[in-house]
Every structure is written in structure tokens, then in C-alpha cells.
Amino acid sequence: MNLLYVSLIAGLIALIVVFFLVKDILKKNPGNKKMVEISGYIEEGAMAFLKKEYSYLCVFIIVVAIAILLFLNYRTAIAFVVGTLFSITAGYIGMRIAVKSNVRTTEAAKSGIKEALSVAFSGGTVMGLCVVGLGITGLSIFSIAFDLNVEYITGFGLGASSIALFARVGGGIYTKAADVGADLVGKVEAGIPEDDPRNPAVIADNVGDNVGDVAGMGADLFESYVGSIISALTLGTALASTLGKEIVIFPLVLSSIGIIASLIGIIFVKGYKGDNPQKALNLGSTISGVIVLIAGFIACKYLVGNYKIFLPVIAGLLVGLIIGKITEYYTSADYKYVKFIANESETGPATNIIAGLSVGMRSTVIPILLIAIGIIISFFAIGGSRDTALGLYGISLAAVGMLSTTAITVAVDAYGPIADNAGGIAEMCELDESIREITDKLDSVGNTTAAIGKGFAIGSAALTALALFASYSQIVKLETINLLNPLTLVGIFIGGMLPFLFGALTMESVGKAATQMVEEVRRQFKENDGILKGTQKPDYSKCVAISTNAALKEMIIPGLLAILVPLLVGILLGTEALAGLIGGGVVTGVMLAIMMANAGGAWDNAKKYIESGVHGGKGSDAHKAGVVGDTVGDPFKDTSGPSMNILIKLMTIVSVVFAPVILKYGGVLIDLFIK
Amino acid sequence: MNLLYVSLIAGLIALIVVFFLVKDILKKNPGNKKMVEISGYIEEGAMAFLKKEYSYLCVFIIVVAIAILLFLNYRTAIAFVVGTLFSITAGYIGMRIAVKSNVRTTEAAKSGIKEALSVAFSGGTVMGLCVVGLGITGLSIFSIAFDLNVEYITGFGLGASSIALFARVGGGIYTKAADVGADLVGKVEAGIPEDDPRNPAVIADNVGDNVGDVAGMGADLFESYVGSIISALTLGTALASTLGKEIVIFPLVLSSIGIIASLIGIIFVKGYKGDNPQKALNLGSTISGVIVLIAGFIACKYLVGNYKIFLPVIAGLLVGLIIGKITEYYTSADYKYVKFIANESETGPATNIIAGLSVGMRSTVIPILLIAIGIIISFFAIGGSRDTALGLYGISLAAVGMLSTTAITVAVDAYGPIADNAGGIAEMCELDESIREITDKLDSVGNTTAAIGKGFAIGSAALTALALFASYSQIVKLETINLLNPLTLVGIFIGGMLPFLFGALTMESVGKAATQMVEEVRRQFKENDGILKGTQKPDYSKCVAISTNAALKEMIIPGLLAILVPLLVGILLGTEALAGLIGGGVVTGVMLAIMMANAGGAWDNAKKYIESGVHGGKGSDAHKAGVVGDTVGDPFKDTSGPSMNILIKLMTIVSVVFAPVILKYGGVLIDLFIK
């Protein structure tokens, strides 16, 4: 049991590093008065969103906690509340520091790209280490307190998922409402450039980068990280009697190794001497991965005494890596698909849209095959053909393995929006062109890491959901989930439909919020013509308020859907229907997540590719068509697509936590039918 | 066994009626010389497509027949070949008569709407009766010849499916390549109206209506019709020992009743005295449905002696009906969704596209819930909770019930493109405005019936595939298909991905073919300026050839995919993985089919709604945005969407037919892994 303290210590180490990193970042020079002012607006906007979000969250947390108290037990309720608080804390620190790092990155850029990278990456690292540090600390504490009783620990996972819903779905709506709104009036109607301080929505847009890409992505991976470990604990517990207790603790040890490995990787990035940020980030990620492989293997051999247990970990790490990389193939202008979309833009927006959709749909093939291969290896290599429970444990280990280097993955990913913000601040403060060039370079590397990060988030969500699905089936004592049972079939159909409905709702939300934003910006331009002349300051806070309110209001219905439909199906149609629902939801959820993320990324880069001068360049008809595709792609890749990750994990963890209730009361409708 | 002759006779009656209808249609006046000339071009184009298609088919049929001979047996091979020939014959007669009916409808319109309706509906009826007549005749003959041995009869279903692939996918590519090509250059670039004889692609466009909407839809429903009956025969056979042989024959009897009921309904349509074509068609459909309900119930009571057997039939009929009707809600300008899309068009094409996609995604909810309810009722009402085999038989009966009135459903549906063609001929021959008004009225009713027909085709494809899925599991002796088996999971993921890939490929095909068409039309306009002046005739045949070649070439890869992937997965990963593949494919296939059909329909009508004068009417920015949505919607609703129906049924019937091979050799990869 002492090993649980190892993971606790690993978590605390991560948090201590966060403490020093934060001190270090705050010590940096935030630049001149104008820069401090502008970044102050962004910080203010971000905090306004957080404050509002917390007021919603309070109500939500209390209601769910009471439901858990009533239907389950107080221990799960405590774990749930602490799970929400830990995720909130991670998001709070991550975002607070991100909005301090952006302006300091701008200032550091004056000394060169290496210095700017260092600050931006430190900002991202804070988010990354908060995710893993708080995640594993929480899990370790509850594992010790509840003596590894997974029934209670799952509450922590539900807490993480609930906050992810708010952060990812709400954040996704926030960022795209602001972005689309700012672009439609600013760039298209008023003809002012991106990040122009005259645009009233410009601050909301910059806040959105933090809300969506820092806090949202962080919460998403916090959920995956915690969820995958919980599922491994659950499935390991069932095997402990035959294979020894070590098998339960191994996932926590592996995650601890991942934290240390990430820290070492982070040191390498910070110490990188060259001028190429992409290489620095790649170096750090590679080193972390290699360390996990070596140290993990040793731990596996000496702790569990069975090297086969390690094969799923390798599979998980590799699948996560390749899925991320393959995303680049579909979304980078270096490869044929983005060029194809750009080419199709010549015949107008319709052919651009058709091309983008088909590229997105086509891009599901390789990731799905990779996930399939990952599942097969994880299950069979570990010995699943003789022992299904062991095989399913293998799948959960693959998820834990994939997520073991989450710290550096999030750091690399969250660095992007900070660099993006830094560029925005440089623009708004009219700093020297050379500064903007440096931030642009960092930002463009950030676009690649963001695409890779999205692929990774989807892959990890899929594996986490599958592992939790296996946990669910064990808790409700389903030895088989029979597709020939019509209730399973019905569950699969309903589950398969939910991501479509969820996607429709979130896209509509962005549309509605963006329309409000457009109207507000138009109003300000109309009522005060000093704004466009640059003699008067626009009212940034109104636009921030619109995004904030819309984001939180519009996520209520999709959120309720993700939580209530599984419960409803479980209660009405029983445990097997609910299992089907999860299965169907995961399958179409993953498809839509991949399709939307890649179509959106490809449209974005096709537009940029045209802007680089091909097919007539900026202002040409092809470019106009490209802008249409990019605008459609915005909610695809930054709202609806990433929301799928949350949907599939949330549905699953809700089922896991409430499994005892469903096991007891489930299937009332069918009972009626049969009687 | 005498009852098998009943269904044979019902089939022959349908074919005899076809004979007289054809004679009647050919007797009608085809109009003046110009009309005969123009309709001659359309007929020529249609025949050119058929001829080319048959040359491809010959090769395909021979290859597959040899494969069946090698791996299965000669009886299945014979049934397969006959199945293809029967489907080809149905398509040939249906299309041949459709292209004779169009010009006669135009001519009849001179005497009034009632006369025009009568001719167009006769033309559609020929297609409808050919489908059911040839379908049930073929099934009856093989049931008698093979003494109801379903193993061989399934070959007939595979034949039907193979032709459906060519007709629906190839037809879908044909019609949209011509349509998009004709519109992009004709309407947008040259500024000439729809159906203008100066447009070189106009004939190809009109041929496309017949190829896609008459022959394609007919082949699709021929496949569903035959497939559902085969699955009911298969599942019934397993129950015969306990419940009596009547249970095997009942589906055939029910279908025979459906044919007679449809004939009566058709008589009512033809005899309708009023001026409202919509009412006439509704009347006929309703009467047919009611007769099936009454006569079917009596047959059930006296033949099977168990009224519960009839509950799935009612469920199937109702679900088919409501899914069709609900389609209208999402795609008609009378309801809020189309208005919403039109409204969003005001802010440009991007918001129009986002709105259309979200409406399409949202529109999956109710059909899926209906299918779910249908499955539950069919399974449990018949007594599936005590006897799974009986419950699955219930699901197949729901499919047979839904499809029992296929004759009149196809008649109502195929009448649309004939009326559409009639309008095109009126336009091209510059007939009096009043003629065009009548055909426009018929055409607009046709748009509604087409939308309903699409919903029905999807619902029936889903139920048919599920019923065949149950048959498959029985043949490969799977009593449970366990979702916790990683191979099943992997199968579901791969199956779930296939419709996305299929959709991407078919959309790209339309894009490529349309581009060729655009280039050809541009070339003709450029090289011969007499065409646009109206002094010289364009070269229609070049455009027809482009559509024809593209349609057949571009369907090879998607077609091979639908056939080979199931076999490959079965051989490599075994029977349970293949079961998962079918399950996953059906779920996402149905989702995408609904989404694409409804998004496409909604975009189309949103554009028409704007053209009616709202949001600035024709030529406004909103209208331009509407045109973009409509163009994206074209391959959605007429190519990729309907192709999903084929994909899910074809995958399933391939698995059913080759089940013995997969049972024997399947799972080689996994065997390697385990050893």
C-alpha cells in the first residue's frame, strides 16, 4: 500500500514545480503600459467568465452532490465534490497564468524567439502540471482514504467530467462566438485586420483562446487522465485476487513515472539551445515518451513481475502518438488534402464545403484502424483470449499509457494559445513588426501542436470511454452485452444518435451567440463613429459579457442531455440497453469528433494556403470560398468536435457512478412490457 | 406448400398489370415533332447509360457467380444470377417506360392536371409493380425449386443488392454530376434558365432524373423488398419445427396481400375525380395500408393462428409511414427548420451551411426513436422475451410489413421524376406557360413524395439490414454477439467508419464528375457561339457520355469496399467481428443517411423559399447563400445519402451469403495471435 504514497508524492512534486514556475513567470517583465493595459482587459475578461461559470457550477455541483447522497452514498459525494474542485483549481491556475504569460511572451520576444518560447512554454507547462498534479494527488488521496474502494473513487471522475463539460463545451461556444462575431463584422464588414484594437470583440476573441484552448483542453485531458486511471483501478481490482494487489496500483505507478518523465522532457525544452521551437517541443515529447517506456518496463517487471502487462502501455503510447501525427497529414498544407480543398475553392464555396466535408469524413479511416489495432493488441497481448477481465484491463492500461505523458502534451498544446495571444497583444499595442514575426512563428508552430493535441484528445477520450465502459459492465455484472438483444440494439441506435444531436445543438449555439456578437459590434460601430477612427475606445466588456452569457446558457441543454439520457435509458430499458447506448455513443462520437476536427483544421489551413498566394491569393474568389469553409470549420473544430470527447466520457462515467442504482431499478419499462 | 403458388400468382398478376399499363401508356399521344425529338434525346441518353452499365455488370456478375460457385454451391450461384437479372429487368422496364411517359405527360397536361397525373402515375406504377412483381415471383420460384432452403435463396438477395449498388450509387453520381454541372455553367455562368435547350448538359440532367430517381430508387427498394422477405424466411425456418411451417410462408402471403392492396390503391388514384394530385396519391396509399392491415390480420389469424404475430407488421407499417411524414417536417418550407436555414442565409453561405448541417444532424432524433420503438414492439409484442429467435423473426416481420405496400410507394415516388421531366420537356419545347404550370404543380407534389420516399427507403433499409443481421447471426451460429469481446468492438468501430468513408468517396466522385461536366459545357459554349444564340444545337451526347462514364467508373471503389471489407474482416477477425461490423455500419449508415437526406432536402427548399420572395428573394445575397447550400445538398440527398441504404444492406447480405465460408475459415489473424 506504500506505493500509493509514491503517486501522491509524484503529484505533489508536480504541484511544487507549478509553484516555482508561477513565481518565475510573474517575475518576468510584462512590458510597457499599453501592453499591461491590453493584457489587463484579457485577464479581466477571462476572470469574468470564470466568475460567472463558478456561479453556475455551484448550483450544478450542489444538485448532483445531493443526488449522489440520496441514491448512492456520502463517500462518493465527497469524492465528486473534490473532483470538481480539483478540476476547477487546475483550470483556474492554468488560465490565470496563461493570461499573465501572454503579455510576458510578447515582451520576451523583444529578446528573441528562444526567450519568447521559454515564457510561453512555461505558461503552458503550468496548465499541464496542474492537470496531472491535481489529478493524481486527488486519486491518491481517495485511494488511501477509501482503501482503494473504487465504487467511491469513481465520484472523483464524475467531478472531473462535470467540469470538463462546462469548460470544454461552454469554452468552445465562448471562443467561437467571439471569433466568428469578431471576424464577420471586423474583417468582412469593416475591413479592419485581425486583432485590431478598434474591434469591440477583439478582447472577447483573445479571452476565448484562453477559455477554449487552455482551460477547455486542460479540463478535457484532466477528465481523460482521471477517467483512464479510475477504469484501470476498477478493472484491476477485479483481478487482484488472482494476480496480486500490485496490478491495482500499477496504473498509478505508471502515471507517476509519466509525471517525472514529463518533467525531464520539460527541462529539455526549456534548455534547448536552438532557434526552432518545433524541434524543441518535439525533443521534449520524445524524451518523455522514451523515459516512460524504459522506466515503465522496469516498474512492470519488478512490481507486477509480468512483462506482458507492459505491451498495452506501449500500444497506447504509440497509438496516441500516431493519431496525433496523422492529424497533420489531413490538416496541413504540406499534404494533398488541404491542397485539394484549396483547389476546389476555385469553383466557389459549395465545392469548397463538399471537399472539406469529404476530407473530414475520409480522415476517420486511419485513426479508427489505429484504435482498432490498439484494442486488439492491448487485449490479446496481455492474455485476454484466456481471461476477458484481464484483456479489458489491458485496454484500460493502454489508455493510461497513452495519457501517461499528459503533462508535457498539455504543456505543448497550451503554449499555442499563449503565443497566439502574445501576437494579438503585439498587434493591438502596435509593437515593432519584428516582435509580431516572432510571435507569428511561435503561433504557427502552435497550430501544428494544436492539431496534434486534438487528435491525441480524441484518441485518449475513445480509449478512456472504452475502458470505463468495461468498468461499467463489470459493476452491473454484465458478462456479455449481447447485440442480438433488441434492447442493446436500441441502446446502440439511441447512443449513436446522441453525438449527432449534441453536434447540432452546439453548432446552433455558436450560431446564435455569434449573431448576438455581430449585432453588438455593429451597434457600437454605428452609435460611436470614433471607434473606427481610432479616437475612441470600444466597449470591450459588452462583447465579453455576450460570449460569457451565451457560453453558459447554451451549454445547459447539451449538458443535461449527456447526463440525463444515459440515466433515463438505464432506468427505462435496463443495464444492457445502457451498455449499448455507451457503445453506440462512443462509436459515432469518435467518428464525428475526428471528422469535425480534421475538416475544420483542413478548411482553416486551406484558407491560409490560398492567402499565401496560390489560386489567386487574398481577395480572390477562391479566397472568399476559403473563408466560407474556414467559418464553417470554426465551430466544427473548436466547439462541436471537441465536445464529442466530453460527451462520450461523461455519458460513460455517469453510467459507471450510477451503475448501482441502474442495476437495482433499471428496466422498468421493459418489465411493464413483459408482464 | 400450395401457398407458395399464391405468392407466385400475386407476382404474376402484378406483371400482367404492368403489361397492360405499358400498352396503355404507349398508346398515348407523345405530342408534336419537337417534343418527340427532345424526349428522344432523353430516351437515347438513358439507354446509353443502361447499355454501358450492362457491360460493366456482365463482368461483375460473372466474377461474383464464379466466386459463389467456388466457395459455396451452384444453386446459390443460379439464384444470384437470376436475382441480378430480375433487378436489371425491373430497372430496364421501369426506366424505359419512364422516358416514354414523360413526354406523354407533357402532352396530357394540355387536357388538364388530372390527365397529366394519370399518365405520370401510370409510368411510376410500372416501376412499382415491376419491383414487387419480379421480386416476389423470383422468390416464389426459388422457394418452390429449392424447397424453401434459405441458404440458396439468399443468392437472389445478393443479386438484388449488387444491382442496387450499380443503380443507386452509379445513378446517384450520374444525376448529380449532370445537375451540378448543368447548373454551375448554365445558370450561374451563362445566366440561362433551368432546362434551357441551349445548355449542352440539359439532356444529361433530365436523363439523370430517370437514372437516379426512377431506376435508382426502384433498385434500392427492390433490394429492401427481397432482403426483408429473405430474412423473414431465414428466421422463420428456424422456428418452423416448433411453430409450424406456416410461419415460414406467412411473409410471402403478407407480401402478396400487399401487392393486391397496392393494386386497389392504384385504381383509386387513377379513378380520383378531384384536381389535387397530393390528395389522390395520399388516398391511394392510405387505402393500400388499411387493406394490408385488415387482410393481413385475417391471414395471420387463420394461417398462423396467433394474432400476436401480426403486431410487428402493424409496427413496421406505422414506423415506415411516420418516418416518411417526419421527413416533411424537417425539409418543407411550411415548418420552422427550413425557415431557420433561409434566415441564416442572410449572413452568408457559411451560416447557411452551419444551419443546414445542424438541421440534418438534429433530424436524426425522431426517426431513430421511431426505429427503436419499432424494434422493441416487434420483438417483445411477439413474445421475444421468452424466445429470442421469435423476437428476431418479429423484427423481420416489421420490415416485411413496412415494405408490403412497396408497389404503391414506388409508384408515388417514381411519378415525381416523370413529372419533373415532363416540365423540362415543356420548357425545352417552349410550350404554352399553362402546360408548365401544370407540370410544375405535379413536380412540386413530386418533391414532397420524393422526400417521404427517401425517409421510407432509409427506414426500410435499416429494418431490412437488422433483420438480415439477425439471419447472419443464426447462420454463423452466434447465440450472443458480445460487445465486451474486443473483436466485436473493433468490428463496430470499423463498421461505423465505413459509411463515413463511403460518403467521402461518393461526394468526391460527384465533385470530379461535375468538374468534367463544367469543362465540357464551357468548351462547347466557347468553341461554338451559335449555341448560346440558339442558332446551333449543342452536342448533348458528349455530356451524356461524361455522366455515364463517370458514374460507372467512380462507383467501382465504393462498391468494392462494401463487398470486400466485410469479407476481409470476417476472414481475418472472425464471425463476431463481422457481426460488430454490420452493427456499427448500420448505426452510422442510418444516421448519415437521415442526416444527409434531410439536410439536402432542407437546403433545397430553403433556397426555393428564398426564391419565393422572402429575405430579398431571387438574386439577393441570401439567395446566393441559399444556392451554395443547395449545391452542397445535391450530392448529400441524391448521391451519398441514398448510397448509405445500399451500403448497409449490401454489407449485410454479403455476410449472410458468405456466412458458411466465414464460419469455416474466419478469424485467421486472431488464431495467429493466440497461438
Side-chain angles (χ1 to χ4, degrees):
Chain A
M1 197 52 61
N2 281 337
L3 280 168
L4 283 176
Y5 289 95
V6 170
S7 61
L8 180 58
I9 291 167
L12 293 175
I13 290 177
L15 296 176
I16 290 167
V17 176
V18 166
F19 177 77
F20 285 105
L21 269 176
V22 168
K23 273 189 72 172
D24 186 53
I25 291 169
L26 295 181
K27 261 196 320 214
K28 304 266 177 204
N29 182 359
N32 65 33
K33 200 169 147 252
K34 182 88 187 272
M35 287 162 71
V36 174
E37 185 198 335
I38 293 280
S39 79
Y41 291 138
I42 300 178
E43 188 173 347
E44 224 171 70
M47 290 307 129
F49 174 72
L50 286 183
K51 208 176 141 195
K52 187 102 184 183
E53 188 187 40
Y54 295 159
S55 69
Y56 274 69
L57 275 174
C58 264
V59 180
F60 175 83
I61 294 172
I62 292 170
V63 170
V64 176
I66 290 174
I68 296 176
L69 271 177
L70 287 178
F71 293 105
L72 298 164
N73 57 73
Y74 78 91
R75 288 191 184 88
T76 310
I78 292 174
F80 165 73
V81 173
V82 175
T84 60
L85 295 179
F86 272 37
S87 178
I88 287 173
T89 309
Y92 181 81
I93 299 176
M95 207 153 108
R96 185 103 215 191
I97 295 309
V99 295
K100 298 273 185 199
S101 309
N102 51 16
V103 66
R104 288 166 173 81
T105 302
T106 319
E107 180 65 20
K110 291 178 182 166
S111 324
I113 192 162
K114 216 171 88 55
E115 288 71 15
L117 169 68
S118 174
V119 178
F121 184 70
S122 285
T125 302
V126 168
M127 183 78 245
L129 289 177
C130 279
V131 165
V132 297
L134 286 164
I136 207 156
T137 302
L139 285 171
S140 304
I141 291 175
F142 285 113
S143 296
I144 296 168
F146 297 152
D147 198 18
L148 276 173
N149 188 327
V150 281
E151 193 190 334
Y152 309 138
I153 303 175
T154 52
F156 190 77
L158 182 62
S161 281
S162 307
I163 303 308
L165 174 72
F166 280 81
R168 191 56 135 163
V169 182
I173 296 171
Y174 187 112
T175 179
K176 288 302 120 173
D179 189 11
V180 173
D183 284 0
L184 279 182
V185 195
K187 278 203 246 176
V188 182
E189 289 182 17
I192 54 178
E194 176 118 28
D195 287 329
D196 192 296
R198 287 171 293 174
N199 192 331
V202 73
I203 295 296
D205 189 7
N206 274 279
V207 172
D209 289 342
N210 293 291
V211 169
D213 297 345
V214 178
M217 173 64 104
D220 188 346
L221 286 176
F222 186 83
E223 180 189 20
S224 286
Y225 190 72
V226 168
S228 66
I229 297 176
I230 287 179
S231 73
L233 292 178
T234 315
L235 296 165
T237 303
L239 296 164
S241 57
T242 51
L243 295 173
K245 235 179 187 162
E246 289 72 23
I247 209 155
V248 189
I249 299 169
F250 177 61
L252 281 167
V253 173
L254 184 66
S255 302
S256 311
I257 292 172
I259 291 180
I260 306 302
S262 294
L263 283 174
I264 297 172
I266 287 164
I267 292 169
F268 271 88
V269 176
K270 303 270 293 176
Y272 184 74
K273 296 278 176 241
D275 263 355
N276 186 335
Q278 182 75 63
K279 278 200 183 150
L281 299 172
N282 287 350
L283 177 75
S285 303
T286 312
I287 287 176
S288 305
V290 171
I291 294 175
V292 167
L293 283 183
I294 297 170
F297 180 74
I298 297 171
C300 187
K301 185 128 190 254
Y302 290 97
L303 183 67
V304 191
N306 177 349
Y307 81 92
K308 277 189 180 170
I309 299 282
F310 197 61
L311 294 171
V313 177
I314 304 176
L317 260 172
L318 287 180
V319 167
L321 196 76
I322 307 174
I323 288 187
K325 287 281 174 200
I326 215 76
T327 309
E328 232 189 301
Y329 178 59
Y330 290 102
T331 59
S332 151
D334 295 340
Y335 302 97
K336 65 175 176 180
Y337 289 110
V338 168
K339 286 184 183 142
F340 166 66
I341 297 175
N343 193 43
E344 289 291 300
S345 306
E346 289 215 349
T347 31
T351 39
N352 166 290
I353 296 292
I354 293 176
L357 287 171
S358 75
V359 166
M361 291 170 93
R362 185 192 268 269
S363 75
T364 56
V365 177
I366 297 176
I368 291 300
L369 292 181
L370 285 169
I371 291 175
I373 293 169
I375 292 173
I376 290 180
I377 291 179
S378 306
F379 187 92
F380 287 104
I382 204 173
S385 58
R386 287 175 304 281
D387 182 350
T388 306
L390 182 61
L392 295 175
Y393 173 73
I395 293 176
S396 72
L397 272 191
V400 174
M402 186 188 272
L403 286 153
S404 59
T405 55
T406 293
I408 191 160
T409 308
V410 173
V412 167
D413 200 62
Y415 128 95
I418 293 174
D420 190 0
N421 256 236
I425 292 170
E427 188 78 31
M428 286 186 265
C429 300
E430 289 153 0
L431 296 184
D432 192 77
E433 197 59 25
S434 65
I435 310 281
R436 179 79 200 200
E437 261 167 37
I438 286 181
T439 59
D440 272 359
K441 207 165 166 189
L442 289 180
D443 186 23
S444 108
V445 172
N447 279 338
T448 308
T449 62
I452 295 176
K454 261 174 203 141
F456 179 82
I458 296 168
S460 71
L463 271 193
T464 302
L466 285 180
L468 285 169
F469 170 64
S471 310
Y472 163 79
S473 66
Q474 219 166 58
I475 299 174
V476 296
K477 303 187 178 71
L478 282 172
E479 295 210 346
T480 60
I481 298 165
N482 189 3
L483 257 182
L484 290 173
N485 176 342
L487 296 175
T488 314
L489 263 184
V490 163
I492 291 189
F493 270 104
I494 296 177
M497 168 268 281
L498 280 180
F500 280 85
L501 177 56
F502 206 75
L505 289 171
T506 46
M507 282 203 295
E508 280 166 27
S509 299
V510 172
K512 277 192 233 166
T515 306
Q516 281 179 50
M517 190 67 81
V518 166
E519 281 161 6
E520 170 60 22
V521 175
R522 278 186 190 153
R523 188 194 63 79
Q524 290 200 24
F525 280 158
K526 202 176 147 196
E527 292 181 5
N528 183 350
D529 53 9
I531 295 179
L532 270 177
K533 286 185 198 138
T535 55
Q536 298 228 0
K537 250 196 319 198
D539 183 354
Y540 298 131
S541 64
K542 276 263 170 61
C543 293
V544 168
I546 285 174
S547 257
T548 302
N549 292 330
L552 293 167
K553 211 186 98 207
E554 292 290 337
M555 56 141 299
I556 293 176
I557 291 176
L560 286 178
L561 209 68
I563 296 171
L564 295 183
V565 173
L567 293 178
L568 202 70
V569 166
I571 295 293
L572 290 179
L573 303 177
T575 53
E576 221 162 332
L578 179 51
L581 179 128
I582 300 172
V586 171
V587 172
T588 56
V590 171
M591 296 307 156
L592 285 181
I594 300 173
M595 179 207 149
M596 292 183 130
N598 290 344
W603 270 316
D604 186 355
N605 283 327
K607 185 198 70 175
K608 287 185 180 142
Y609 180 64
I610 295 173
E611 283 172 353
S612 79
V614 280
H615 302 298
K618 262 195 178 177
S620 65
D621 280 346
H623 183 239
K624 278 179 200 147
V627 170
V628 171
D630 182 41
T631 312
V632 173
D634 268 339
F636 259 52
K637 73 180 197 307
D638 291 320
T639 312
S640 304
S643 297
M644 298 295 161
N645 300 346
I646 308 302
L647 173 70
I648 61 179
K649 287 180 289 185
L650 184 56
M651 276 186 351
T652 321
I653 191 95
V654 164
S655 309
V656 168
V657 170
F658 287 94
V661 181
I662 289 157
L663 187 59
K664 204 164 161 192
Y665 303 106
V668 289
L669 188 69
I670 296 307
D671 292 346
L672 272 179
F673 223 117
I674 292 172
K675 268 167 211 160
Chain B
M1 196 55 58
N2 282 337
L3 280 168
L4 282 177
Y5 289 95
V6 170
S7 62
L8 180 58
I9 290 167
L12 293 175
I13 289 177
L15 296 177
I16 291 167
V17 175
V18 166
F19 178 76
F20 285 105
L21 268 175
V22 168
K23 273 188 72 173
D24 186 54
I25 291 169
L26 295 181
K27 263 196 315 214
K28 305 266 178 205
N29 182 359
N32 64 33
K33 198 168 149 256
K34 183 88 187 273
M35 287 164 72
V36 173
E37 185 197 335
I38 293 280
S39 80
Y41 291 138
I42 299 177
E43 187 173 349
E44 225 171 70
M47 290 307 129
F49 173 72
L50 287 183
K51 208 175 141 196
K52 187 100 183 185
E53 188 187 41
Y54 295 158
S55 70
Y56 274 69
L57 275 174
C58 264
V59 180
F60 175 83
I61 295 171
I62 291 169
V63 171
V64 177
I66 290 174
I68 296 176
L69 269 178
L70 286 178
F71 293 105
L72 298 163
N73 58 73
Y74 77 92
R75 287 190 184 89
T76 309
I78 292 174
F80 165 74
V81 174
V82 175
T84 61
L85 295 179
F86 272 36
S87 179
I88 288 172
T89 309
Y92 181 81
I93 298 176
M95 207 154 106
R96 185 104 216 191
I97 294 309
V99 296
K100 298 271 185 201
S101 310
N102 51 15
V103 66
R104 289 165 173 81
T105 302
T106 319
E107 179 66 20
K110 291 178 183 166
S111 322
I113 193 162
K114 217 170 88 53
E115 288 72 14
L117 169 68
S118 174
V119 179
F121 185 70
S122 286
T125 302
V126 168
M127 183 77 246
L129 289 176
C130 278
V131 165
V132 298
L134 286 164
I136 208 156
T137 302
L139 285 172
S140 305
I141 291 174
F142 285 113
S143 296
I144 296 168
F146 297 151
D147 198 17
L148 276 173
N149 189 327
V150 281
E151 193 190 334
Y152 309 138
I153 304 175
T154 53
F156 189 76
L158 182 63
S161 281
S162 307
I163 303 308
L165 174 72
F166 281 80
R168 190 58 134 161
V169 182
I173 297 170
Y174 187 111
T175 178
K176 288 303 118 173
D179 188 10
V180 173
D183 284 359
L184 278 182
V185 196
K187 277 203 247 177
V188 182
E189 289 181 17
I192 54 178
E194 176 117 29
D195 287 329
D196 192 295
R198 287 171 292 174
N199 192 333
V202 72
I203 295 296
D205 189 8
N206 275 278
V207 172
D209 291 342
N210 294 291
V211 168
D213 297 345
V214 177
M217 173 65 104
D220 188 347
L221 286 175
F222 186 83
E223 180 189 19
S224 285
Y225 189 73
V226 168
S228 66
I229 297 176
I230 287 179
S231 74
L233 291 178
T234 314
L235 296 164
T237 303
L239 297 163
S241 56
T242 51
L243 294 172
K245 236 182 184 159
E246 289 71 22
I247 210 154
V248 189
I249 300 170
F250 177 61
L252 281 167
V253 173
L254 184 66
S255 303
S256 311
I257 291 172
I259 291 180
I260 305 303
S262 294
L263 284 173
I264 297 173
I266 288 163
I267 292 170
F268 272 88
V269 177
K270 303 271 293 177
Y272 183 75
K273 297 278 176 239
D275 264 355
N276 185 337
Q278 183 74 64
K279 277 199 184 150
L281 299 172
N282 287 350
L283 177 76
S285 303
T286 311
I287 287 175
S288 305
V290 171
I291 294 174
V292 167
L293 282 182
I294 297 170
F297 180 74
I298 296 171
C300 187
K301 187 132 190 250
Y302 289 97
L303 183 66
V304 190
N306 178 348
Y307 80 94
K308 276 189 182 171
I309 299 281
F310 198 61
L311 294 171
V313 176
I314 303 176
L317 261 173
L318 286 180
V319 168
L321 195 76
I322 307 175
I323 288 187
K325 287 281 173 200
I326 215 75
T327 308
E328 232 190 302
Y329 177 60
Y330 289 102
T331 58
S332 151
D334 296 339
Y335 302 97
K336 65 176 177 180
Y337 289 110
V338 169
K339 286 184 183 144
F340 165 67
I341 297 175
N343 193 44
E344 290 290 302
S345 306
E346 289 217 349
T347 31
T351 39
N352 166 291
I353 296 293
I354 293 176
L357 287 172
S358 75
V359 166
M361 290 170 93
R362 186 192 268 271
S363 74
T364 56
V365 177
I366 297 176
I368 291 301
L369 292 181
L370 285 169
I371 291 175
I373 293 169
I375 291 173
I376 291 181
I377 292 179
S378 306
F379 187 91
F380 287 105
I382 204 174
S385 58
R386 286 175 305 281
D387 182 350
T388 306
L390 182 61
L392 295 175
Y393 173 73
I395 293 176
S396 72
L397 272 191
V400 175
M402 187 188 273
L403 286 153
S404 58
T405 55
T406 293
I408 190 161
T409 307
V410 173
V412 166
D413 200 63
Y415 129 95
I418 294 174
D420 189 1
N421 256 237
I425 292 170
E427 188 77 32
M428 287 185 264
C429 299
E430 289 153 359
L431 297 185
D432 192 78
E433 197 60 24
S434 65
I435 309 281
R436 178 79 198 200
E437 261 167 37
I438 286 180
T439 60
D440 272 357
K441 206 164 166 188
L442 289 180
D443 185 23
S444 107
V445 172
N447 279 337
T448 308
T449 61
I452 296 176
K454 261 176 202 139
F456 179 83
I458 296 168
S460 71
L463 272 193
T464 302
L466 285 179
L468 284 169
F469 171 63
S471 310
Y472 162 79
S473 66
Q474 220 167 55
I475 299 172
V476 294
K477 303 189 178 71
L478 282 171
E479 295 210 347
T480 60
I481 298 166
N482 189 3
L483 257 182
L484 290 173
N485 177 342
L487 296 175
T488 315
L489 263 183
V490 164
I492 291 190
F493 269 103
I494 297 177
M497 168 268 281
L498 281 180
F500 280 85
L501 178 56
F502 205 75
L505 290 171
T506 46
M507 283 203 295
E508 281 166 26
S509 300
V510 172
K512 277 193 233 166
T515 306
Q516 282 179 50
M517 189 67 79
V518 166
E519 282 161 7
E520 170 61 22
V521 176
R522 278 186 191 153
R523 188 193 63 79
Q524 290 201 23
F525 281 159
K526 202 176 147 196
E527 292 180 4
N528 183 349
D529 52 9
I531 294 179
L532 269 178
K533 285 186 199 137
T535 55
Q536 297 227 3
K537 247 196 323 196
D539 183 355
Y540 298 132
S541 64
K542 275 264 171 61
C543 292
V544 167
I546 286 174
S547 257
T548 302
N549 291 330
L552 293 167
K553 211 186 98 205
E554 292 290 338
M555 57 142 298
I556 293 176
I557 291 176
L560 285 178
L561 209 67
I563 296 170
L564 295 184
V565 174
L567 293 177
L568 202 69
V569 167
I571 295 293
L572 290 179
L573 304 177
T575 52
E576 220 161 332
L578 179 51
L581 180 130
I582 300 172
V586 171
V587 172
T588 56
V590 171
M591 296 306 155
L592 286 181
I594 299 173
M595 179 208 148
M596 292 182 130
N598 289 344
W603 270 317
D604 187 355
N605 283 327
K607 184 198 69 176
K608 286 185 182 144
Y609 179 64
I610 296 172
E611 283 172 355
S612 80
V614 279
H615 302 298
K618 264 196 176 177
S620 64
D621 280 345
H623 183 239
K624 277 178 201 147
V627 170
V628 171
D630 182 41
T631 313
V632 173
D634 267 340
F636 260 52
K637 72 180 198 308
D638 292 320
T639 312
S640 303
S643 296
M644 298 295 161
N645 301 345
I646 308 302
L647 173 69
I648 61 180
K649 287 180 289 186
L650 185 56
M651 276 185 351
T652 320
I653 192 96
V654 165
S655 308
V656 168
V657 170
F658 287 94
V661 182
I662 289 157
L663 188 60
K664 203 165 161 192
Y665 302 107
V668 289
L669 189 68
I670 296 306
D671 292 346
L672 272 180
F673 223 120
I674 293 172
K675 268 168 210 161

